[in-house]
Amino acid sequence: MEKIILDGNVVAQEIKEGLKSRIDLLKNKGITPCLATILVGDNPASETYVRMKGNACKRLGIESIRVHLPEETGTLELIETIKELNNDPSVHGILLQHPVPSQIDERAAFEAIDIRKDVDGVTSTGFGQTALGFGQYPSCTPAAIMKMLDYYQIPIEGKHAVVVGRSPILGKPVSALLLNANATVTTCHSKTANLPEILKHADIVVAAVGLPKFIQGSWLKQGSVVLDAGYNKGNVGDIDYDTCYEAASAITPVPGGIGPITIATLLKHTVDSAEKL
Amino acid sequence: MEKIILDGNVVAQEIKEGLKSRIDLLKNKGITPCLATILVGDNPASETYVRMKGNACKRLGIESIRVHLPEETGTLELIETIKELNNDPSVHGILLQHPVPSQIDERAAFEAIDIRKDVDGVTSTGFGQTALGFGQYPSCTPAAIMKMLDYYQIPIEGKHAVVVGRSPILGKPVSALLLNANATVTTCHSKTANLPEILKHADIVVAAVGLPKFIQGSWLKQGSVVLDAGYNKGNVGDIDYDTCYEAASAITPVPGGIGPITIATLLKHTVDSAEKL
């Protein structure tokens, strides 16, 4: 069986190449696309993510504003900061790095983001628009998964896609996007009774569960397409790569799979927004 | 095997009984809950639905305003009407009867409804809130399906629910509600390759496809719970009742199943809104 390693770096590179002329054009008009990231507290993983996003912006000539709030920030203070960024015409995208500290009402904070700057599709309106098929900015990781499938011309229509995970910015929106692309979609989660049995019927598997090496190759149908959106300590994803590799016809590595496309998508959404605003 | 006929009239009656004292309380404060229905054109089925909803309001002491626009109404005119109702403090719920004539951008019209008066969950924000688990007013038919399961104490958590249909106010939101109730949810549709095979694994089946007598009993797992949200010409639902009855452990009749609960839910949402506004 032919086996394809789905290379996220190649796809990300293509997206970024496509942005360069658009960024130049904007700059010629005196507009520099700008992404504001908000980090609350000192979670080292979150700091790394925010730094990676900032660096990716810089390399492409996108400005990035980094707002770092103290660990003890309250919901109202955070919302105040978000509102300032909403009202700042130089800012085109707002990304609140999550998780936020537990005293904050994360949902209330997400909802405060202006839909026009919600480049990671975290608001309920952004999610709803995505699910109903006219979202401008689907969450970046789900959009990256769709882009990967598209780039490698993997058929979706009529296929059975099984998404493992149901978070608001990963499992739920990727289920919605796959459904809109005419897959039959099953969404699984911690309460799913018989995950291995369900995965045996999956043509496309999306792992978005946040548990290292959770999904086993023995659970998969031979020839399935396996997309790993997880990223856990020790540089491993949510699938047990070695055993899943054996079963899959196409598979994403971690790192170098969905991750790079996610960041490229965030940049693309920021440029899209700069063009619109 | 014990077989339960899921009686929507009983459930609807319970909902309506629960509303009476709340409506009295509102009226003592000088507030009469009010639902505005908008009908565009002369579709006889739509006229019947609107009349049924109006009568249901009247029987319970809820006011109903019926706006009837001509067949040739344009999108902007319709949105203008919706905005007037948004701004009318005596109106607590707005229901745009669909389908609307083809020259109208139905989505744009739905989106014009104020989220606080979106008692049928048709806006993208309303859908997003429902899917993310904090929606005030899920679409009435999906909410009715959940109410039916709740009333008959049918377990959902860990069960495999298969929804056949993916419309914005039925298949998609009921999939979301079942997922939030911890079912493993598969959403099927016209592009699904092997529907009978998928239904063979379903503990709970929701038929929301709009095709008379489409789902056959031979496709079902023995003992499954079958909820028919369809209503087609000739007073038949989306399932082939006689054969499905044989396979099911619990089943909704049509009429007298989900339909009456849908209307009762619409009334309940209108009263909820009158209390909030």
Side-chain angles (χ1 to χ4, degrees):
Chain A
M1 187 169 54
E2 193 198 1
K3 190 143 336 223
I4 306 170
I5 307 291
L6 302 166
D7 186 339
N9 289 313
V10 170
V11 183
Q13 198 52 44
E14 193 197 59
I15 295 170
K16 288 190 266 191
E17 285 300 327
L19 293 178
K20 284 181 180 168
S21 61
R22 293 171 58 192
I23 294 168
D24 287 345
L25 216 60
L26 282 164
K27 288 190 173 171
N28 287 343
K29 292 182 190 164
I31 300 160
T32 302
C34 174
L35 174 70
T37 58
I38 307 170
L39 175 66
V40 186
D42 307 305
N43 182 313
S46 293
E47 286 195 46
T48 304
Y49 285 130
V50 165
R51 198 177 330 111
M52 281 168 69
K53 288 164 186 170
N55 291 342
C57 283
K58 193 185 282 178
R59 278 195 295 271
L60 219 58
I62 295 173
E63 199 177 340
S64 68
I65 296 176
R66 190 180 159 184
V67 181
H68 194 164
L69 299 175
E71 183 74 30
E72 64 275 14
T73 303
T75 303
L76 290 180
E77 280 167 273
L78 176 55
I79 288 178
E80 207 42 58
T81 300
I82 291 169
K83 283 188 177 164
E84 282 168 22
L85 296 168
N86 284 343
N87 293 330
D88 183 341
S90 72
V91 170
H92 305 109
I94 300 171
L95 184 113
L96 171 60
Q97 186 66 42
H98 70 117
V100 293
S102 57
Q103 78 277 9
I104 291 174
D105 180 345
E106 182 177 90
R107 176 46 50 194
F110 279 153
E111 294 296 320
I113 298 173
D114 187 324
I115 180 73
R116 294 170 305 164
K117 300 187 179 185
D118 180 20
V119 288
D120 199 19
V122 297
T123 60
S124 55
T125 301
F127 173 80
Q129 291 179 353
T130 294
L132 299 184
F134 61 99
Q136 292 190 84
Y137 309 122
S139 297
C140 293
T141 304
I145 290 165
M146 300 308 288
K147 181 71 189 173
M148 182 74 100
L149 291 167
D150 179 59
Y151 184 88
Y152 282 96
Q153 299 185 308
I154 292 168
I156 303 173
E157 181 164 312
K159 300 296 178 187
H160 191 171
V162 175
V163 175
V164 188
R166 55 172 166 172
S167 70
I169 66 161
L170 188 37
K172 284 180 179 180
V174 78
S175 295
L177 290 170
L178 287 162
L179 182 64
N180 289 343
N182 292 328
T184 300
V185 180
T186 301
T187 311
C188 299
H189 46 79
S190 57
K191 298 291 195 294
T192 292
N194 45 1
L195 183 62
E197 191 191 307
I198 290 170
L199 285 171
K200 270 288 171 208
H201 298 276
D203 302 305
I204 298 170
V205 175
V206 177
V209 70
L211 295 171
K213 295 187 174 191
F214 177 66
I215 290 173
Q216 303 298 311
S218 61
W219 302 353
L220 303 177
K221 181 161 97 172
Q222 283 295 314
S224 55
V225 174
V226 181
L227 301 142
D228 188 351
Y231 188 66
N232 305 291
K233 269 183 191 161
N235 246 357
V236 295
D238 289 353
I239 65 166
D240 184 54
Y241 187 81
D242 293 343
T243 60
C244 288
Y245 178 89
E246 291 306 317
S249 63
I251 189 167
T252 55
V254 170
I258 301 302
I261 314 179
T262 297
I263 293 181
T265 302
L266 179 64
L267 304 179
K268 178 180 177 297
H269 288 175
T270 304
V271 174
D272 289 345
S273 173
E275 287 174 348
K276 279 186 191 127
L277 284 171
Chain B
M1 187 168 52
E2 194 198 0
K3 188 137 349 214
I4 306 169
I5 307 292
L6 302 166
D7 185 339
N9 288 313
V10 170
V11 183
Q13 198 52 42
E14 194 197 60
I15 296 170
K16 287 189 269 190
E17 286 299 328
L19 292 177
K20 284 180 181 168
S21 60
R22 293 172 59 193
I23 294 169
D24 286 345
L25 215 60
L26 282 163
K27 287 191 174 172
N28 286 343
K29 292 182 189 164
I31 300 160
T32 302
C34 174
L35 174 70
T37 58
I38 307 170
L39 175 67
V40 186
D42 308 305
N43 182 314
S46 293
E47 287 194 47
T48 303
Y49 286 131
V50 166
R51 198 178 330 110
M52 282 167 69
K53 289 164 185 168
N55 291 342
C57 284
K58 193 184 285 177
R59 277 195 295 272
L60 219 59
I62 295 174
E63 199 178 340
S64 68
I65 295 176
R66 192 179 157 184
V67 181
H68 194 164
L69 299 174
E71 183 75 31
E72 64 274 15
T73 302
T75 303
L76 291 180
E77 279 167 273
L78 176 54
I79 288 177
E80 207 44 57
T81 300
I82 290 169
K83 283 187 176 163
E84 282 167 23
L85 296 169
N86 285 343
N87 294 329
D88 183 341
S90 72
V91 171
H92 305 110
I94 300 171
L95 184 114
L96 171 60
Q97 186 67 41
H98 69 118
V100 293
S102 57
Q103 78 277 7
I104 291 174
D105 180 344
E106 181 177 271
R107 177 45 50 193
F110 279 153
E111 294 296 319
I113 297 173
D114 186 325
I115 179 73
R116 295 170 304 166
K117 299 187 179 185
D118 180 20
V119 288
D120 199 19
V122 297
T123 60
S124 55
T125 301
F127 174 80
Q129 292 180 352
T130 294
L132 299 183
F134 61 99
Q136 292 190 83
Y137 309 121
S139 298
C140 294
T141 303
I145 290 166
M146 301 307 289
K147 181 70 190 173
M148 182 75 101
L149 290 168
D150 179 59
Y151 184 88
Y152 283 96
Q153 299 186 307
I154 292 168
I156 303 173
E157 180 164 312
K159 300 297 178 186
H160 192 171
V162 175
V163 175
V164 188
R166 54 170 166 172
S167 71
I169 65 162
L170 186 37
K172 285 180 178 178
V174 77
S175 295
L177 290 171
L178 287 162
L179 182 63
N180 290 343
N182 294 326
T184 300
V185 180
T186 301
T187 312
C188 299
H189 44 81
S190 57
K191 299 290 196 292
T192 292
N194 45 0
L195 182 61
E197 192 190 306
I198 290 169
L199 286 172
K200 270 287 170 209
H201 299 275
D203 302 305
I204 297 170
V205 175
V206 177
V209 69
L211 294 171
K213 296 187 174 191
F214 177 66
I215 290 173
Q216 303 297 311
S218 61
W219 302 353
L220 303 178
K221 182 161 98 173
Q222 283 295 316
S224 54
V225 174
V226 182
L227 302 142
D228 188 349
Y231 188 66
N232 306 290
K233 268 182 192 163
N235 247 359
V236 294
D238 288 355
I239 65 166
D240 184 54
Y241 187 81
D242 292 342
T243 60
C244 288
Y245 178 88
E246 291 305 319
S249 63
I251 189 166
T252 55
V254 170
I258 301 301
I261 313 179
T262 297
I263 293 181
T265 302
L266 179 65
L267 304 179
K268 177 180 178 297
H269 288 175
T270 303
V271 173
D272 290 344
S273 174
E275 288 175 347
K276 279 186 190 128
L277 283 172

